Amino acid sequence: MVEGYIHSTESFGSADGPGVRFLIFVSGCRMRCRYCHNADTWQMKKGTLMTADELLDQAERYRSYWGPKGGITVSGGEPLLQPDFLLDLFRKAKARGINTCIDTALEPFTTQEPFFHTFERLMEVTDLLLADIKQIDQERHKALTGKPNDNILACLEYLSRIGKPVWIRHVLVPGWTDDDGYLR
């Protein structure tokens, strides 16, 4: 049985993918963004251990609110730090006819195994990714998040190659992420 560390859930998200969404916030993030609004999700293996079926049973109580485009969005923290759990959750969601979305900074991405094989399978059952691009410049990205962004850019290239729908999101922080040159 695959379980994930769940920080919290919200029953009515309207800015986290198409339609109304049931939001699942997972625990764990390796980046330390200076402007993080979910810093309480940073700790790995903290939160409530839950199975995919437990979460989906909870989510489906609100299905009547989703409309034709809604579904579930997994956010965090960083969902891709729990790839096996996410794959199990999304496979079961698709079996129930639920739209799936990941809100991610893409930081864990690698083409190394075992991550990449699981990621490829996950993309088969993911309808949309909300990719939170923190900063395009490598050095400024490190200063802002504590991590480089070469793997994040590689992930975006991969997602483009496979034709996976992605919504790019970018928070404008004066002095950090609002340079017109970097935005272009």
Side-chain angles (χ1 to χ4, degrees):
M1 172 174 47
V2 181
E3 293 179 307
Y5 286 94
I6 306 305
H7 175 272
S8 58
T9 62
E10 291 182 15
S11 61
F12 193 95
S14 60
D16 301 281
V20 174
R21 318 291 299 178
F22 183 84
L23 306 177
I24 300 166
F25 294 90
V26 298
S27 296
C29 186
R30 295 189 300 217
M31 293 202 300
R32 295 295 180 260
C33 301
R34 293 177 179 258
Y35 59 85
C36 182
H37 67 281
N38 288 345
D40 55 327
T41 66
W42 285 357
Q43 296 301 312
M44 297 294 299
K45 298 185 178 180
K46 188 175 180 184
T48 305
L49 275 173
M50 295 184 76
T51 66
D53 289 318
E54 288 173 319
L55 282 166
L56 293 171
D57 288 347
Q58 184 180 349
E60 286 202 281
R61 290 185 226 151
Y62 306 96
R63 193 171 190 150
S64 63
Y65 298 105
W66 297 349
K69 294 182 182 180
I72 63 170
T73 296
V74 181
S75 188
E78 175 51 65
L80 295 178
L81 287 175
Q82 299 186 55
D84 295 321
F85 171 72
L86 203 54
L87 178 58
D88 187 52
L89 176 67
F90 279 19
R91 281 181 171 163
K92 290 176 177 176
K94 296 315 287 179
R96 295 183 187 207
I98 298 173
N99 180 278
T100 57
C101 179
I102 305 171
D103 185 356
T104 174
L106 305 171
E107 188 280 326
F109 181 78
T110 180
T111 57
Q112 301 298 309
E113 298 301 346
F115 180 88
F116 189 65
H117 179 74
T118 303
F119 186 78
E120 287 179 305
R121 302 291 77 78
L122 178 59
M123 291 303 99
E124 293 172 3
V125 290
T126 300
D127 293 308
L128 174 68
L129 287 99
L130 307 179
D132 186 10
I133 305 304
K134 308 295 184 183
Q135 171 56 260
I136 199 72
D137 178 77
Q138 177 80 255
E139 292 308 312
R140 291 185 61 82
H141 191 276
K142 280 186 201 175
L144 181 64
T145 70
K147 295 286 184 179
N149 67 353
D150 52 332
N151 62 324
I152 294 166
L153 299 176
C155 185
L156 288 168
E157 289 176 15
Y158 171 76
L159 294 170
S160 178
R161 272 197 314 274
I162 68 169
K164 183 55 62 184
V166 175
W167 290 1
I168 301 291
R169 303 201 309 176
H170 182 72
V171 177
L172 293 175
V173 179
W176 281 101
T177 65
D178 61 345
D179 181 279
D180 289 345
Y182 291 137
L183 292 172
R184 276 195 257 343

